[in-house]
Amino acid sequence: MTKKQKRVFICITKSNWGGAQKYVFDIARELSKNKDVKLSILLGGNGELKNKLRDINIDIITIENSQRDLGIIKDVKFFFELLKLFKKEKPEVIHLNSSKMGFIGGLAGRISGVKKIIFTAHGWAFNEDRNFLQKKILIILHILTIILSHKTIAVSDIVKKQIGNRFNKKIIVIKNGIAEINFIDKKSARESLSIKILQKNQNVVDRLTGNPIWIGTISELHKNKGLEYAIEAISKVKENIIFVIIGEGEERKKLEELSIKLGSSNKIFLIGKIENASSYIKAFDIFTLTSITEALPYVLLEAGKAELPVIASNVGGIPEIIENNISGILTSTKNSEEIKNSILQIISNTEKIKYLSHSLNKKINKDFKENDMLKKTFEVYNI
């Protein structure tokens, strides 16, 4: 008798590429190899995650009304779309990712009788810059999401701690893990990024050929990422440096205007979205992540794999990756002066660069292995 496959849905609100989407992709890629599982990914939109899943032949179900922003009519339609699907397909496991998918998917899952509802908290929306009432509503919704789920995975210790002790038994910490990356070598990566820079601004040829120090980041252009403080810091540094930002988002115009206002548009380059951006990371001499809120960012794991010295905000789960002056430099949030001083500290000390880079690489290879993350996650699935 043929063994019946276990039906599993992994669900995420949006298909743009970010940390949560990478997490979903890595789990889906590995789980798809299990012949005892019939896997589908539920998502909204037509972003990079969808394309990557198609490339490895993973079944995708597009949820038409899935969107990040609040919209009562669409959210009600979203709920009934999920409810209908869960009742029809009868999955044994649904794994929910992102705040909205967590609450609406958890409610639909409970009503339709799903045996195992798992929610991964990639961070809490109440940590974002919102007004008091919005934060209180979000706290309630997050608590309800945990109650609706049979098990909640927190991607860092701080994510678990921030929700309080009441749900200790329902929350398990499984930190993000990363596999080896096929990096492009420094020379080739710089040549490729230089072409993209020059396509936008031909007047910076001398700057690029003048052997500058490359400082860079890979980031969504979103207010949570604190990019304006990095730009302010770069504008204060008189040494021969450039700042390259890989990524796209709603804050582009504001950040471009700030660079012009500070007289730094000839050394600050927003080059947009790049496919497989992390493979270019060796182009940088220093990596920055000046976020206002974070859970456990993959991009720092990638920078560690590339053996780069890192300057990052002392916020969220970042200190679980970066130990100050051991495996990187931590700065206060929204503090361009500290970011500037950290840059100067690193570029003036070759030995410090080697020490920070080696220490971070060693920590990532020891404590943030993808195989460990996958094994622990599938134990929660009971697969």
Side-chain angles (χ1 to χ4, degrees):
M1 184 181 291
T2 304
K3 184 179 179 181
K4 183 185 176 183
Q5 289 181 303
K6 184 172 283 191
R7 192 74 169 106
V8 176
F9 285 165
I10 303 178
C11 315
I12 189 163
T13 309
K14 292 175 66 179
S15 58
N16 63 307
W17 191 252
Q21 286 77 17
K22 174 174 171 49
Y23 173 88
V24 166
F25 178 81
D26 289 344
I27 291 172
R29 183 194 61 223
E30 189 63 26
L31 191 58
S32 67
K33 300 173 186 176
N34 188 332
K35 299 194 183 303
D36 294 331
V37 171
K38 184 181 179 184
L39 173 66
S40 294
I41 310 302
L42 280 58
L43 47 72
N46 295 292
E48 189 174 343
L49 173 60
K50 196 171 188 177
N51 296 332
K52 286 179 177 289
L53 291 168
R54 278 181 178 149
D55 287 344
I56 58 174
N57 299 313
I58 290 179
D59 183 58
I60 300 164
I61 300 174
T62 301
I63 307 299
E64 291 183 11
N65 293 289
S66 180
Q67 59 176 13
R68 182 179 179 183
D69 297 330
L70 291 174
I72 294 174
I73 294 174
K74 275 208 166 189
D75 289 347
V76 170
K77 289 181 178 179
F78 179 29
F79 166 74
F80 282 108
E81 200 173 350
L82 290 176
L83 184 64
K84 181 180 178 181
L85 187 61
F86 293 164
K87 285 184 174 181
K88 178 185 175 184
E89 295 290 337
K90 296 181 173 55
E92 283 91 347
V93 177
I94 58 172
H95 184 176
L96 307 168
N97 297 269
S98 70
S99 298
K100 180 175 283 192
M101 183 63 81
F103 175 66
I104 295 178
L107 183 60
R110 284 287 185 172
I111 292 172
S112 56
V114 176
K115 294 177 183 176
K116 190 86 169 197
I117 302 172
I118 302 162
F119 169 63
T120 291
H122 299 276
W124 305 113
F126 57 73
N127 286 321
E128 298 176 0
D129 188 12
R130 299 171 183 267
N131 65 46
F132 177 81
L133 180 60
Q134 286 177 328
K135 288 192 175 192
K136 287 297 181 184
I137 292 171
L138 286 167
I139 290 170
I140 293 168
L141 290 176
H142 285 315
I143 288 172
L144 289 174
T145 299
I146 295 169
I147 292 170
L148 289 168
S149 303
H150 296 104
K151 183 66 76 172
T152 292
I153 297 171
V155 299
S156 64
D157 295 325
I158 191 66
V159 168
K160 180 177 180 179
K161 185 178 179 181
Q162 286 170 340
I163 207 68
N165 297 324
R166 182 180 173 186
F167 299 104
N168 271 347
K169 292 182 179 179
K170 291 198 75 171
I171 301 177
I172 181 173
V173 175
I174 303 176
K175 296 187 179 182
N176 292 336
I178 191 169
E180 296 302 316
I181 299 172
N182 186 22
F183 291 113
I184 300 168
D185 66 89
K186 182 183 285 284
K187 183 175 181 293
S188 300
R190 284 193 175 183
E191 287 173 353
S192 296
L193 296 183
S194 293
I195 290 170
K196 293 183 180 297
I197 291 169
L198 292 171
Q199 285 173 345
K200 295 179 180 290
N201 190 347
Q202 285 288 335
N203 298 324
V204 296
V205 174
D206 290 343
R207 169 77 67 174
L208 293 177
T209 57
N211 197 30
I213 294 167
W214 284 55
I215 301 171
T217 192
I218 301 171
S219 174
E220 182 183 2
L221 308 186
H222 189 278
K223 61 182 181 180
N224 288 340
K225 298 301 181 179
L227 289 164
E228 63 265 42
Y229 305 105
I231 288 173
E232 288 173 2
I234 295 292
S235 70
K236 299 174 184 178
V237 176
K238 305 305 179 185
E239 279 74 5
N240 184 19
I241 64 171
I242 62 171
F243 185 39
V244 179
I245 303 171
I246 301 175
E248 198 50 80
E250 62 201 40
E251 292 283 291
R252 169 176 280 278
K253 185 177 179 183
K254 177 182 173 183
L255 296 173
E256 288 177 335
E257 289 174 350
L258 177 62
S259 298
I260 293 169
K261 178 183 175 182
L262 296 172
S264 299
S265 57
N266 65 337
K267 63 178 180 179
I268 296 172
F269 308 116
L270 286 74
I271 62 176
K273 182 180 171 184
I274 298 177
E275 189 83 13
N276 297 317
S278 61
S279 63
Y280 292 86
I281 205 168
K282 279 184 175 286
F284 305 144
D285 297 303
I286 300 171
F287 189 86
T288 66
L289 188 69
T290 54
S291 301
I292 298 168
T293 177
E294 284 288 355
L296 196 90
Y298 272 105
V299 72
L300 289 188
L301 307 185
E302 293 164 350
K305 281 285 187 183
E307 295 191 65
L308 296 182
V310 167
I311 297 168
S313 302
N314 187 6
V315 69
I318 289 178
E320 296 174 38
I321 304 171
I322 305 292
E323 186 178 356
N324 193 33
N325 281 313
I326 300 295
S327 49
I329 297 180
L330 296 175
T331 66
S332 305
T333 56
K334 303 182 181 181
N335 194 320
S336 60
E337 191 67 20
E338 283 190 23
I339 298 167
K340 181 201 79 173
N341 291 336
S342 299
I343 292 170
L344 293 175
Q345 184 181 349
I346 289 177
I347 64 179
S348 65
N349 191 334
T350 306
E351 288 304 311
K352 192 172 188 73
I353 291 174
K354 292 179 182 177
Y355 176 70
L356 295 176
S357 305
H358 176 73
S359 297
L360 181 56
N361 181 259
K362 185 177 178 181
K363 183 175 181 63
I364 300 306
N365 289 332
K366 178 177 179 288
D367 296 338
F368 297 94
K369 298 175 184 176
E370 183 184 80
N371 285 342
D372 290 346
M373 178 194 79
L374 294 172
K375 180 183 176 185
K376 292 173 183 176
T377 303
F378 296 148
E379 286 172 358
V380 176
Y381 281 33
N382 196 25
I383 290 176

